[in-house]
Amino acid sequence: MFRIIKKSLKIGVVTGQYRGEEKPLLPVIPEAKEKATLFKRSLAIREVDTGSCNACEMEMNALLNPVYDVERFGIHIAASPRHADALVVTGPVTVNMERALKDVHKQTPDPKIVIALGDCAIDCGMFKGSYAVTGPVERHIPVDIRIPGCPPRPAEILNALSELRKPTV
Amino acid sequence: MTEPGSCDNLLKAAFPVIVQGDAICGESSHFLVPKNLLPAITRYLHTQPSLRGRLTLIWTCDHRPVRDTYGLHYLFTLETSHHWVLLSSELAGNDRHFPSITPHVHAAKWYEREIRDMFGLIPEGHPDLRRLVRHEHWPKGTHPLRKDFPWNRVLGQQQGEYHFRRIEGEGVFEVPVGPIHAGIIESGHFRFSVAGEPIMQLELRHFWKHRGVEKLFEEQTLIGAVPLAERVSGDTTVGHSLAYCQAVETLLDLQVPRRARYLRALFLELERLYNHLGDIGAMCNDTAYALAHAHCGRMKERIMQLNDRLTGSRFLRNVIRVGGVTRNIENRQLTALVDELNRIQPDFSEVGAIIFANASLTDRLEATGVLDQQTAWDHAVMGVVGRASGIDCDLRRDRPFAAYDELPVNVALYRYGDVRARLRVRGDEIHESIRLIREIRAKIPDGPVANETSCSPKPGDWTLSAVEGWRGEILYMVMAGEDGRIHRCKVRDPSFVNWPAIQWAVPGNIIPDFPLINKSFNLSYAGNDL
Ligand code: SF4
């Protein structure tokens, strides 16, 4: 017990120890912001992998570590699409995942926000044209915001999410 | 210890018809084998006590239009000498059948199903000929790796159903999980048959994420395909790009400068560090021990930020190139890196002490998800999972690449094969990686970090390369095509071999322990599905 307390005291607070970015790389469109006003205080995200290389997922996961601690902004990860306000989709949408993606989208209650995370989700990236890929995501479901990068850094994801939920003036 | 020479003699004595082929790389023997002898020879290689060959890779190559044949290749690693034995056979272009070796060599099961899907060649005598990569809705006759299949073909749809193996009886029911999971993880399907709490059987259904990587390689040039290799499995960026580059360098006969070799080893160890730290945290999280998860997540983040500062990429993207590395890391930066790691190491030791002092946690880990040594051997399991089950293999020691010929590695080895052993292997490897990085700092020579070449290989030349990534052995077979392009590139992530083995570690455990067992394997879906 003492060991644990000692360790926690020694480490202190690490949240926020990252280089922040000022602006999201792609501007967030006003329509998306409008949709997001409902979720200003809390946003439940469901992550869907449609053929990513796993790096984009790892950066999403990194958002949950104590350094980024996304929960302090009222953002949390939902275990089921039925509990989600937003879908984060990674990967170029493979032939085999296409149906699952559409199903998940259907299962998510309206109103919902769809976020395409990473170059693959936005325009299929390196996998464009492959016989096994039918994406990008927006070919199958409407996309509200795009976060480019291969993969985007957690700070960039965070930045785009907070930009999305900033009140429109 | 079997001497390589004696292994050749043994094989030739037992099977006089086989012919010695050209050597493909160092420490290997190559034999040309008639296809009807394949089951007998592979069985001999696999079971003969003085050889004990572990199936390492099977690949096929469509030689059309140059020659109207398919090449079949079987690579084995001998247990004690780590010598490679490669068996090659050819199928005439109109011959669709080859004998399956799966009845004798378990580990061939997925490879042969994959060959059937990708090339339309039929392994005769294979016990399970369901589709693997191509899900049921793929139309009949679509075999993407055949040369007459265009890389950008739009696939049609058909109806079909995958038949899971079923257990029937009173009180037995099935629990389907996936392809989309509850956490932020990749897509895959697990089908459990349970009677009450304990799992009776687990069946995997993967390849949801199949992106056609091997076909995409064929659209690239040898030099230009590094970014694609980096994206085979994002968490193994260095492992895959290094294995790919090594293969191309052999084809181009290109020497890599010493300093670049050391830097490659450095990047590989950094990749191992952040992944192992993340895995240990995730395993603790699956036992609901959030504190250790937070500490490990914090340390992993530190290493990833360090990567970012050193190279401009948290995943070490774009650092390995054909001929060397893309950027030099100054000695001053290396010293700063070692200083940082010197601070992280005691930090990790303290967290490790907290983890192992927690009785309720170790209780969850011990005797959970046991993969015994014999099963591991039968499925040719290697890497972290293998070393936790007593399979003593590590390419950094056994077939040194990069700078590992000058950097002796102490291999972590445990026997129990449970979740705890896999956690311990990772813990030991973290300390070993930090020690290696210190040694790299001490030994690294000055000099250039990349070499150039203008020569291009003869079409049809091919080679193999192997790298010990943080999960295990990554293998690449690259065959050159016309004008510096790629004719065929076989990618083998360790996950492809270790996934089937998880089916044997699970029975008898309860479903709530499955996420923990799965995390302790932590295999790649992307690298498996390609
Ligand atoms: S965008 Fe890049 S990092 Fe993200 S899944 Fe695609 S290849 Fe991987």
Side-chain angles (χ1 to χ4, degrees):
Chain A
M1 195 67 219
F2 281 121
R3 186 148 47 183
I4 297 175
I5 296 172
K6 197 172 129 207
K7 182 80 192 156
S8 300
L9 287 176
K10 200 158 117 193
I11 299 297
V13 177
V14 295
T15 310
Q17 290 181 0
Y18 57 88
R19 258 190 321 162
E21 249 69 22
E22 286 115 50
K23 275 238 160 278
L25 290 169
L26 281 184
V28 177
I29 52 167
E31 289 82 34
K33 282 188 160 198
E34 201 141 305
K35 254 180 155 182
T37 42
L38 267 176
F39 310 121
K40 234 169 27 207
R41 281 158 186 275
S42 124
L43 179 71
I45 291 181
R46 174 76 279 232
E47 205 273 345
V48 185
D49 160 20
T50 59
S52 82
C53 73
N54 196 23
C56 278
E57 265 88 78
M58 283 179 74
E59 295 301 48
M60 274 302 285
N61 261 321
L63 286 181
L64 299 171
N65 73 27
V67 176
Y68 298 98
D69 190 20
V70 67
E71 303 223 358
R72 70 199 152 121
F73 302 111
I75 298 173
H76 59 271
I77 307 298
S80 155
R82 300 192 187 183
H83 303 158
D85 310 318
L87 289 180
V88 170
V89 187
T90 58
V93 190
T94 59
V95 171
N96 292 346
M97 278 305 287
E98 181 185 325
R99 218 190 81 199
L101 173 68
K102 288 179 181 157
D103 282 353
V104 161
H105 187 253
K106 228 180 283 162
Q107 305 269 339
T108 315
D110 283 320
K112 57 195 160 207
I113 296 172
V114 177
I115 301 167
L117 181 72
D119 293 349
C120 281
I122 295 172
D123 68 351
C124 296
M126 296 220 61
F127 305 100
K128 197 185 291 172
S130 160
Y131 65 89
V133 164
T134 66
V137 176
E138 63 184 359
R139 235 193 95 199
H140 301 295
I141 58 175
V143 171
D144 297 302
I145 72 167
R146 297 167 177 79
I147 307 178
C150 187
R153 292 188 172 85
E156 289 165 10
I157 305 177
L158 212 52
N159 205 7
L161 289 178
S162 53
E163 183 70 23
L164 170 73
R165 296 157 79 227
K166 251 193 218 147
T168 30
V169 274
Chain B
M1 185 107 181
T2 7
E3 286 303 315
S6 79
C7 134
D8 292 5
N9 295 339
L10 267 176
L11 273 174
K12 275 191 273 187
F15 302 94
V17 292
I18 63 175
V19 185
Q20 195 126 17
D22 307 336
I24 32 147
C25 52
E27 304 207 23
S28 62
S29 325
H30 184 194
F31 295 99
L32 309 177
V33 175
K35 81 166 189 182
N36 58 343
L37 269 186
L38 278 169
I41 301 184
T42 48
R43 182 183 195 172
Y44 180 80
L45 252 177
H46 183 60
T47 51
Q48 165 66 232
S50 61
L51 298 175
R52 292 206 5 123
R54 171 167 59 85
L55 181 66
T56 311
L57 181 66
I58 303 182
W59 81 93
T60 304
C61 182
D62 183 353
H63 292 302
R64 299 170 306 162
V66 184
R67 277 180 289 151
D68 195 18
T69 56
Y70 292 97
L72 279 172
H73 305 269
Y74 300 76
L75 180 70
F76 285 82
T77 308
L78 301 189
E79 193 186 30
T80 39
S81 58
H82 307 288
H83 184 79
W84 274 352
V85 179
L86 178 67
L87 307 173
S88 298
S89 189
E90 289 218 327
L91 282 186
N94 54 4
D95 185 2
R96 289 266 159 281
H97 300 267
F98 66 99
S100 164
I101 66 165
T102 305
H104 311 300
V105 187
H106 270 327
K109 195 169 175 183
W110 275 25
Y111 288 112
E112 290 184 340
R113 283 173 74 183
E114 185 194 31
I115 289 172
R116 174 166 184 254
D117 273 1
M118 303 311 272
F119 290 92
L121 305 176
I122 297 163
E124 276 182 331
H126 193 290
D128 176 6
L129 278 178
R130 289 172 298 174
R131 286 182 174 192
L132 185 73
V133 184
R134 304 180 304 149
H135 283 194
E136 292 59 50
H137 61 262
W138 291 46
K140 256 196 148 136
T142 40
H143 301 294
L145 286 181
R146 292 169 62 156
K147 282 289 170 192
D148 46 16
F149 185 98
W151 73 280
N152 52 2
R153 172 155 163 195
V154 178
L155 288 176
Q157 294 255 343
Q158 70 164 33
Q159 289 294 325
E161 199 192 336
Y162 186 81
H163 296 284
F164 286 92
R165 259 175 307 173
R166 302 200 63 157
I167 296 187
E168 285 174 354
E170 205 183 340
V172 180
F173 52 94
E174 281 187 355
V175 183
V177 178
I180 296 174
H181 302 282
I184 308 179
I185 40 172
E186 301 181 73
S187 303
H189 183 90
F190 302 93
R191 180 74 56 120
F192 300 94
S193 298
V194 292
E197 283 264 279
I199 300 167
M200 296 172 76
Q201 170 185 274
L202 162 65
E203 189 174 353
L204 304 177
R205 177 90 179 109
H206 276 343
F207 300 92
W208 299 87
K209 304 181 56 166
H210 177 71
R211 296 161 288 172
V213 169
E214 289 182 6
K215 193 77 178 180
L216 286 169
F217 266 110
E218 294 174 12
E219 294 303 308
Q220 303 264 0
T221 60
L222 284 166
I223 305 279
V226 185
L228 185 58
E230 288 179 341
R231 282 155 185 82
V232 168
S233 175
D235 47 24
T236 322
T237 298
V238 178
H240 275 277
S241 53
L242 180 55
Y244 173 76
C245 286
Q246 285 183 359
V248 175
E249 282 148 10
T250 318
L251 286 176
L252 297 173
D253 204 7
L254 181 62
Q255 287 299 320
V256 178
R258 268 329 297 166
R259 186 173 179 88
R261 287 173 174 266
Y262 270 88
L263 289 176
R264 286 174 164 192
L266 170 78
F267 295 136
L268 199 64
E269 293 308 323
L270 283 171
E271 184 166 87
R272 195 179 316 276
L273 265 179
Y274 81 72
N275 278 300
H276 279 355
L277 279 168
D279 281 355
I280 291 181
M283 282 156 81
C284 293
N285 193 38
D286 278 336
T287 62
Y289 194 37
L291 178 91
H293 181 221
H295 277 302
C296 290
R298 169 180 63 77
M299 287 186 280
K300 174 183 179 181
E301 179 64 28
R302 240 169 114 179
I303 307 261
M304 294 190 83
Q305 291 189 4
L306 228 156
N307 291 346
D308 202 358
R309 284 203 298 277
L310 273 183
T311 67
S313 162
R314 290 162 56 86
F315 287 87
L316 302 166
R317 290 261 160 97
N318 199 15
V319 297
I320 310 275
R321 53 164 280 189
V322 175
V325 292
T326 55
R327 61 180 72 222
N328 188 16
I329 307 287
E330 309 278 339
N331 286 345
R332 162 180 60 76
Q333 286 171 294
L334 285 176
T335 313
L337 170 70
V338 169
D339 288 344
E340 173 92 9
L341 290 177
N342 283 343
R343 284 192 292 276
I344 291 180
Q345 192 168 24
D347 192 354
F348 174 69
S349 301
E350 281 168 28
V351 174
I354 291 176
I355 292 176
F356 283 108
N358 187 325
S360 61
L361 180 102
T362 31
D363 185 48
R364 281 289 299 280
L365 306 181
E366 265 170 8
T368 304
V370 177
L371 182 71
D372 65 65
Q373 189 168 355
Q374 185 60 41
T375 315
W377 163 256
D378 285 343
H379 289 85
V381 167
M382 38 64 203
V384 168
V385 181
R387 291 194 284 275
S389 294
I391 307 286
D392 187 11
C393 59
D394 188 323
L395 289 170
R396 293 176 294 170
R397 178 199 62 196
D398 305 337
R399 302 182 67 86
F401 53 92
Y404 291 106
D405 48 349
E406 292 171 13
L407 298 167
V409 178
N410 302 314
V411 178
L413 189 66
Y414 288 83
R415 297 205 179 278
Y416 308 111
D418 54 1
V419 174
R420 185 168 186 266
R422 291 189 276 276
L423 192 134
R424 289 235 107 138
V425 169
R426 288 190 169 91
D428 289 4
E429 289 188 357
I430 287 174
H431 288 293
E432 182 64 9
S433 287
I434 296 180
R435 188 191 68 74
L436 281 168
I437 293 176
R438 266 191 226 115
E439 201 170 324
I440 290 170
R441 168 69 196 97
K443 285 191 181 164
I444 193 167
D446 288 327
V449 293
N451 278 343
E452 305 286 340
T453 179
S454 52
C455 79
S456 66
K458 223 172 63 240
D461 278 0
W462 56 276
T463 192
L464 281 162
S465 123
V467 160
E468 186 78 23
W470 63 274
R471 279 197 183 92
E473 299 174 359
I474 300 165
L475 285 135
Y476 270 72
M477 189 293 297
V478 182
M479 182 183 267
E482 306 285 335
D483 314 319
R485 304 187 74 80
I486 299 173
H487 181 80
R488 168 96 170 96
C489 177
K490 171 74 197 151
V491 182
R492 215 278 333 261
D493 190 84
S495 312
F496 185 80
V497 177
N498 289 357
W499 266 122
I502 201 173
Q503 298 175 123
W504 302 97
V506 166
N509 293 272
I510 56 175
I511 288 197
D513 270 340
F514 176 70
L516 175 62
I517 300 170
N518 195 16
K519 262 283 136 43
S520 73
F521 276 68
N522 195 14
L523 303 172
S524 167
Y525 299 68
N528 175 70
D529 301 356
L530 294 178

